[in-house]
Amino acid sequence: MSNNIINIGFGNVALSNRILAVVSPDSAPIKRFIQDAKENGKLVDATYGRKTRAVIITDCDYIILSAVQPETMAQRFEVTNK
């Protein structure tokens, strides 16, 4: 599997083959997931101070916060994996 990168906003990138899910941050379980990651030092905030619009869950238990909409991220993911 190749190491394709995906733009997650503001010049930040992630390896597309390490991403398990891109979800909205609005539900209570996701908010708890984010808090647990923060407490365990597994949270990466790539929002540059803007509102979190997408939560990226990786296969290595890291959680990445992004200011890009999940739908936009999905479109970028499709283009990257073609």
Side-chain angles (χ1 to χ4, degrees):
M1 188 178 273
S2 66
N3 284 330
N4 293 327
I5 58 173
I6 183 171
N7 181 344
I8 60 170
F10 304 108
N12 298 302
V13 296
L15 295 176
S16 63
N17 62 332
R18 302 301 300 260
I19 296 173
L20 295 177
V22 179
V23 296
S24 173
D26 298 329
S27 71
I30 297 299
K31 289 179 182 178
R32 284 192 300 273
F33 206 48
I34 293 169
Q35 187 60 40
D36 290 344
K38 184 184 283 187
E39 291 170 1
N40 294 324
K42 296 276 190 167
L43 183 70
V44 177
D45 187 351
T47 62
Y48 280 72
R50 292 180 175 76
K51 181 180 177 183
T52 300
R53 292 198 171 97
V55 178
I56 303 166
I57 302 169
T58 66
D59 63 352
C60 53
D61 295 330
Y62 276 86
I63 305 299
I64 304 169
L65 305 180
S66 175
V68 176
Q69 292 284 351
E71 295 83 8
T72 304
M73 196 91 52
Q75 290 172 347
R76 292 176 182 176
F77 192 76
E78 287 176 5
V79 169
T80 301
N81 287 320
K82 282 189 177 178

